Amino acid sequence: MLGLGCFNLNRFSHFPSSPCLPPSRSDLLKIASRRFALSVTKTQQSPVTKPQSTSTAVIEIDNPASVKRQLAQLFDLSLRATVPDEPDVVPLVDACAVKGGVKFGDYQCNNAMGIWSKVKGKQTGFKGPPAIGQAIVNNLPPSEMIDSCSIAGPGFVNIVLSKKWIAQRIQGMLIDGINAWSPRLPVKRAMVDFSSPNIAKEMHVGHLRSTIIGDTLARMFEFSRVECVIRRNHVGDWGTQFGMLITYLFEKFPNPDDVSGAAIGDLQALYKASKVRFDSDPEFKLRAQQAVVQLQSGEIKYRKAWKRICDLSRAEFDKVYQRLGVQLEEMGESFYNPYIPGVLEKLDNLGLIEESDGARVIYVEGVNIPLIAVKRDGGYNYFSTDLASLWYRLNEEKVEWIVYVTDIGQQQHFDMLFKAYRRAGWLPKDENAYPKCTHVGFGLVLGEDGKRFRSRSSEVVRLVDLLDEAKRRCKTAILERDTAKDWSEEEIEKTSEAIGYGAVKYADLKINRFTNYTFNFDQMLNDKGNTAVYLQYAHARICSIIRKSGRDIEEVKRNGKIVLDHEDERALGLHLLQFPEVFEEACTNLLPNLLCEYLYNLAEIFTKKFYSNCQVVGSPEETSRLLLCEATVTVMRHCFYLLGIEPVYRL
């Protein structure tokens, strides 16, 4: 047993406050940024907004490239001057939506009505929300980013950004790179626990969502300047099923040295055959239970067979991860097994563990059923392992934010786990304080019959087969095109993989993760509508425009200048500039579908507005418009990267 005495599990201290100093302008801007974060939270939690997540956290994120935050800082200063006696007022700034085909501004500040409800009847001199709105405009500090403001309705402040300022910000991104627009999360070490298949079982379509969503969240954390993002694969490599597997394996191969992938064949078939014997043969079941004891006690013969089964499974898992371009660091259930007794002892000493009907359990607030830490027979279960793994991650790996990506059906399991840790004092009572844990749940993948996605023989669909089918269909479509005659076999293969695998990923990620979605090859491989294929075509089209210009785009970036005189140039520029704030919303809410929505809208604005109405090559505005094309593909490629999709440069 690993002792826990040298580790302080309750790692929270109270520090004396620093002496008060007069706030500088930079301090005021930081305060404004924090106040803006609060206003965003209030907006998201308003009764008229349907919550997208039951576990959405309030995250203080540093995002200086966000237009919304920059405006909020300006309006915060104005609000302090407008209503100095109302210190709790926070700026409510958001992008303007199109209503009735009309858009009255780029952004809007919506504080006037709320302030009126606070000051009505007081001696402020205001006669209603419109007057407050006008005062807010009058008290705005000078800024290059705002072209004009106007008052609409009950005091709404419509804001029009300077097109020169928009152009300068886009040009700065082209020179400095997309990372100049990255925010900063307030943690140095984060972990995303995702995929997590079971050894000796095939990865099937049920693992698709966890793997794809988890990979995207890890990429989002990396872009958010988290110094260390751990991609953890918590595989099921321990438990009673291994006694069953090893016993059946020894019947076929008495000598463990004879066990090989070729000899075993299909691990899934081995699992099914051993399960049939386990359920139907009492003598086999007894030997399997004894084998578990031998394995857990470290018997070399059994450990060797267990390791061989694990290695064969990993080889199959890697085929899927290689196709998806997903990297993971495995640390399975077996790793944490030695830590379980010490963690349970510590919890017992804290008075959390109780006896109940022969089992050892932990009760948590708001849940009638207890968390079973030790089963009646003295064995451990998933909760036992998760209690130990969470302890290890917090105390040994020093992770500040742990995100668990599983189906939504496991939400209660993780809710109870986190509550047990809070009860022990091992996580802060405030769910938004660090270190913290978040469960990211997702819905089911359905077939066209509305039931769980399965093959015609009612078997779960192997994930590797599904991905290969997506590639095959794309390859067939590519070979039917005249342009493919000039392509090499390698280019056809790579393009088929990029489009096929990307289509599967995007079809999943574009859906709010809380909802179920129907898996349909015809829809996801359609080149029209909100699909990865349409986005790939849009990206390839822009690349073609840049190639046809014959210009050195790096030289154009160094010496050219963006001008947004045409309304569709400006519309494209504004949408490009909104990427940082959309990314912030996607990251803080852990919702990749918001990135997909932004990417699709970007492709639509470019294709249906800019491309249709603004000639690039050969026009007097060629240099400026080439820069807009380059800015668009830069942002598109980064969105593709965050979603784990390989972009295609010609089609």
Side-chain angles (χ1 to χ4, degrees):
M1 182 178 80
L2 298 180
L4 305 179
C6 60
F7 297 106
N8 179 9
L9 294 176
N10 193 356
R11 299 183 288 121
F12 308 106
S13 304
H14 296 282
F15 297 96
S17 59
S18 57
C20 291
L21 296 173
S24 65
R25 176 174 173 81
S26 63
D27 291 332
L28 287 174
L29 291 178
K30 289 178 181 178
I31 293 169
S33 180
R34 287 195 291 270
R35 286 156 63 88
F36 170 67
L38 178 61
S39 74
V40 170
T41 303
K42 288 183 176 180
T43 301
Q44 290 171 348
Q45 293 176 347
S46 66
V48 296
T49 303
K50 183 179 179 181
Q52 298 200 62
S53 170
T54 56
S55 60
T56 297
V58 178
I59 299 169
E60 187 176 307
I61 188 168
D62 182 18
N63 191 10
S66 166
V67 176
K68 193 188 295 188
R69 281 182 175 268
Q70 291 176 67
L71 286 171
Q73 290 171 354
L74 289 174
F75 276 86
D76 188 73
L77 296 173
S78 173
L79 290 170
R80 287 167 177 262
T82 303
V83 281
D85 296 330
E86 301 293 337
D88 294 334
V89 173
V90 294
L92 301 176
V93 177
D94 212 340
C96 284
V98 177
K99 295 181 179 179
V102 180
K103 187 178 178 183
F104 295 99
D106 300 322
Y107 287 82
Q108 192 174 78
C109 175
N110 301 322
N111 282 96
M113 289 183 66
I115 292 174
W116 177 244
S117 68
K118 289 175 175 285
V119 304
K120 187 177 181 180
K122 298 180 181 179
Q123 300 299 315
T124 61
F126 296 123
K127 296 183 179 180
I132 295 174
Q134 189 61 58
I136 292 172
V137 172
N138 295 341
N139 286 320
L140 276 173
S143 172
E144 294 180 351
M145 70 184 300
I146 297 178
D147 180 71
S148 64
C149 290
S150 60
I151 308 301
F156 298 133
V157 179
N158 290 320
I159 308 154
V160 176
L161 299 179
S162 161
K163 61 184 180 182
K164 181 180 178 181
W165 184 83
I166 296 172
Q168 289 173 341
R169 290 301 176 271
I170 296 170
Q171 193 135 13
M173 181 275 291
L174 284 174
I175 294 170
D176 299 332
I178 192 69
N179 285 333
W181 283 0
S182 65
R184 185 182 297 277
L185 281 169
V187 295
K188 292 183 177 180
R189 295 177 63 81
M191 177 184 291
V192 184
D193 181 326
F194 66 103
S195 194
S196 307
N198 288 316
I199 294 293
K201 291 184 179 180
E202 292 276 10
M203 284 188 74
H204 53 78
V205 72
H207 295 105
L208 182 65
R209 300 205 77 180
S210 176
T211 305
I212 291 174
I213 294 170
D215 180 57
T216 292
L217 294 180
R219 291 168 184 261
M220 289 165 65
F221 282 2
E222 288 162 352
F223 182 59
S224 302
R225 309 191 197 191
V226 178
E227 292 180 10
C228 177
V229 179
I230 302 170
R231 298 154 161 267
R232 181 56 47 80
N233 199 5
H234 187 84
V235 298
D237 66 348
W238 202 246
T240 56
Q241 75 270 26
F242 283 97
M244 176 182 79
L245 284 164
I246 292 171
T247 301
Y248 189 81
L249 198 63
F250 283 168
E251 285 187 352
K252 295 184 67 176
F253 306 99
N255 183 1
D257 292 332
D258 295 335
V259 176
S260 67
I264 291 178
D266 188 348
L267 262 179
Q268 185 76 0
L270 178 75
Y271 182 89
K272 290 180 179 179
S274 63
K275 185 71 168 66
V276 170
R277 287 287 304 281
F278 186 85
D279 292 338
S280 61
D281 186 341
E283 189 272 335
F284 179 88
K285 182 176 183 178
L286 179 62
R287 286 191 288 122
Q289 292 169 339
Q290 293 170 343
V292 173
V293 176
Q294 295 290 335
L295 174 63
Q296 294 181 346
S297 65
E299 178 66 34
I300 294 177
K301 176 182 176 182
Y302 290 85
R303 283 277 180 158
K304 194 170 184 179
W306 168 76
K307 186 177 183 303
R308 188 62 185 138
I309 292 170
C310 291
D311 289 344
L312 292 172
S313 277
R314 289 189 189 100
E316 292 300 312
F317 297 161
D318 286 344
K319 292 178 183 178
V320 172
Y321 297 141
Q322 186 176 13
R323 284 165 171 77
L324 292 174
V326 171
Q327 295 182 336
L328 284 145
E329 173 195 333
E330 181 185 310
M331 194 172 282
E333 294 174 357
S334 61
F335 176 86
Y336 304 106
N337 202 59
Y339 291 87
I340 295 175
V343 172
L344 295 183
E345 180 183 1
K346 191 72 175 178
L347 289 167
D348 195 20
N349 291 339
L350 290 170
L352 267 70
I353 296 182
E354 305 176 29
E355 298 290 331
S356 176
D357 198 20
R360 303 184 69 201
V361 304
I362 299 173
Y363 285 93
V364 296
E365 183 182 358
V367 185
N368 293 328
I369 59 173
L371 179 161
I372 300 176
V374 183
K375 297 186 293 185
R376 294 177 188 173
D377 61 5
Y380 301 136
N381 58 13
Y382 288 121
F383 264 128
S384 315
T385 303
D386 284 343
L387 286 166
S389 66
L390 181 49
W391 177 89
Y392 184 88
R393 293 166 179 183
L394 291 172
N395 292 274
E396 290 290 325
E397 297 184 283
K398 308 296 183 185
V399 180
E400 297 162 85
W401 190 7
I402 307 169
V403 175
Y404 294 83
V405 185
T406 74
D407 67 88
I408 205 165
Q410 297 187 48
Q411 181 174 329
Q412 186 182 60
H413 169 92
F414 287 103
D415 179 61
M416 293 175 70
L417 175 68
F418 304 156
K419 284 181 175 177
Y421 259 60
R422 291 191 190 98
R423 188 181 164 199
W426 296 354
L427 283 175
K429 297 295 184 185
D430 180 358
E431 295 182 19
N432 298 310
Y434 296 97
K436 70 176 178 182
C437 300
T438 306
H439 176 244
V440 170
F442 54 82
L444 300 174
V445 182
L446 306 177
E448 294 184 50
D449 58 359
K451 299 178 181 178
R452 283 180 182 265
F453 187 50
R454 295 179 180 271
S455 67
R456 291 181 180 179
S457 60
S458 296
E459 296 286 338
V460 291
V461 178
R462 295 173 71 239
L463 194 44
V464 70
D465 292 340
L466 182 147
L467 294 171
D468 288 347
E469 175 64 10
K471 176 187 173 182
R472 184 194 68 78
R473 292 189 182 211
C474 287
K475 185 175 182 179
T476 299
I478 289 171
L479 290 173
E480 292 174 352
R481 296 171 60 89
D482 291 337
T483 53
K485 295 176 182 178
D486 301 327
W487 290 16
S488 67
E489 182 61 30
E490 181 183 7
E491 188 173 7
I492 291 172
E493 286 292 311
K494 287 185 176 180
T495 303
S496 301
E497 290 173 356
I499 297 177
Y501 303 158
V504 173
K505 288 185 175 185
Y506 188 82
D508 187 311
L509 293 169
K510 75 176 183 179
I511 304 296
N512 185 312
R513 58 180 168 81
F514 287 98
T515 62
N516 301 334
Y517 85 96
T518 301
F519 192 96
N520 185 301
F521 272 125
D522 292 335
Q523 289 181 6
M524 67 177 59
L525 297 175
N526 196 327
D527 60 2
K528 295 179 178 61
N530 189 8
T531 68
V533 182
Y534 168 75
L535 297 173
Q536 294 278 24
Y537 271 100
H539 177 265
R541 180 184 296 115
I542 304 171
C543 293
S544 176
I545 294 171
I546 296 173
R547 284 195 302 268
K548 286 178 180 178
S549 74
R551 305 274 296 274
D552 180 349
I553 197 64
E554 293 303 318
E555 188 275 333
V556 175
K557 284 160 63 173
R558 286 192 299 271
N559 302 312
K561 181 180 179 182
I562 296 176
V563 179
L564 305 175
D565 286 340
H566 193 284
E567 63 176 346
D568 292 328
E569 292 173 325
R570 189 185 185 283
L572 178 60
L574 177 61
H575 192 74
L576 287 168
L577 205 60
Q578 290 173 331
F579 170 74
E581 64 199 51
V582 173
F583 175 82
E584 177 183 339
E585 186 179 357
C587 190
T588 54
N589 291 286
L590 304 174
L591 290 172
N593 63 292
L594 299 179
L595 279 180
C596 296
E597 181 182 349
Y598 171 86
L599 177 57
Y600 174 65
N601 288 335
L602 176 59
E604 287 277 273
I605 291 170
F606 184 94
T607 302
K608 296 182 177 179
K609 290 187 176 182
F610 178 80
Y611 181 70
S612 297
N613 301 316
C614 301
Q615 179 186 342
V616 179
V617 179
S619 70
E621 302 86 1
E622 179 181 283
T623 295
S624 172
R625 290 175 178 176
L626 278 175
L627 288 172
L628 279 174
C629 288
E630 179 66 14
T632 302
V633 292
T634 298
V635 174
M636 286 189 77
R637 286 170 198 160
H638 194 66
C639 288
F640 280 143
Y641 172 78
L642 292 170
L643 301 172
I645 296 172
E646 187 71 26
V648 171
Y649 290 79
R650 70 166 180 162
L651 274 173

